[in-house]
């Protein structure tokens, strides 16, 4: 699978977001809260929420969104198909980038593990 982030990889509609929130699976870190739900597609989809409470300036909120989007683009090919909403809880600047990526990888490690377990169990059953 390629490392693309197309319209098909986005959560866009309010009911897509609410279905993830209703599923009630959450992982929490210092900077982010991840809400997730398995989906029936062949790829993962991303939605994010960065409120004005995180930072007043739009350019700073956009930087946070770009960072999340880039992480998702590079990592999602190894995950099981799921709908993921990333909620920023705290502002960060570029000097925290390695810490941010480490936190996102740690929060998303479960998605990789489940993907590997699922592939292994599928091959055993065949």
């Amino acid at each position: 699978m390629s490392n693309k982030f197309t319209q098909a990889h986005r959560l866009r509609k309010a009911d897509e977001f609410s279905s993830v929130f209703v599923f009630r699976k959450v992982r929490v870190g210092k900077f982010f809260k991840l809400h997730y739900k398995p989906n029936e597609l062949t790829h993962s989809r991303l939605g994010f929420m960065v409120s004005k409470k995180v930072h007043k300036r739009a350019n700073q909120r956009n930087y946070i969104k770009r960072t999340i989007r880039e992480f998702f683009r590079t990592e999602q090919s190894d995950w099981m198909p799921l709908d993921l909403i990333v909620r920023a809880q705290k502002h960060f600047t570029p000097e925290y980038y390695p810490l941010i990526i480490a936190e996102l990888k740690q929060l998303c490690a479960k998605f990789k593990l489940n993907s590997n377990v699922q592939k292994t169990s599928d091959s055993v059953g065949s």
Side-chain angles (χ1 to χ4, degrees):
M1 185 179 269
S2 64
N3 289 338
K4 292 184 178 179
F5 188 71
T6 63
Q7 288 291 328
H9 292 94
R10 298 175 195 249
L11 293 174
R12 288 171 285 186
K13 298 179 183 174
D15 60 335
E16 293 172 341
F17 274 80
S18 63
S19 71
V20 176
F21 289 128
V22 167
F23 194 68
R24 299 182 68 129
K25 294 290 184 182
V26 180
R27 302 206 48 161
V28 180
K30 182 178 178 182
F31 292 96
F32 301 104
K33 187 181 283 189
L34 273 60
H35 301 262
Y36 62 95
K37 173 188 152 191
N39 70 28
E40 304 295 323
L41 304 172
T42 59
H43 58 275
S44 295
R45 298 187 301 174
L46 173 69
F48 39 74
M49 299 171 66
V50 183
S51 72
K52 285 186 180 178
K53 289 180 183 177
V54 173
H55 201 282
K56 184 175 82 172
R57 307 269 320 218
N59 65 333
Q60 293 297 309
R61 293 193 307 272
N62 290 340
Y63 172 75
I64 294 170
K65 291 182 214 176
R66 281 194 308 273
T67 304
I68 296 167
R69 193 179 303 119
E70 181 64 15
F71 173 78
F72 178 82
R73 187 187 68 79
T74 57
E75 299 289 326
Q76 58 99 17
S77 62
D78 297 334
W79 298 346
M80 63 183 204
L82 54 94
D83 291 343
L84 177 69
I85 298 174
V86 180
R87 294 178 75 176
Q89 293 188 266
K90 186 176 178 184
H91 176 257
F92 58 86
T93 55
E95 60 261 13
Y96 288 105
Y97 186 78
L99 183 64
I100 296 304
I101 295 303
E103 179 176 314
L104 285 169
K105 283 186 178 184
Q106 185 250 334
L107 291 173
C108 295
K110 181 176 183 176
F111 309 142
K112 264 188 190 176
L113 281 174
N114 284 345
S115 179
N116 292 338
V117 168
Q118 186 178 12
K119 288 178 186 175
T120 308
S121 65
D122 289 345
S123 62
V124 171
S126 317

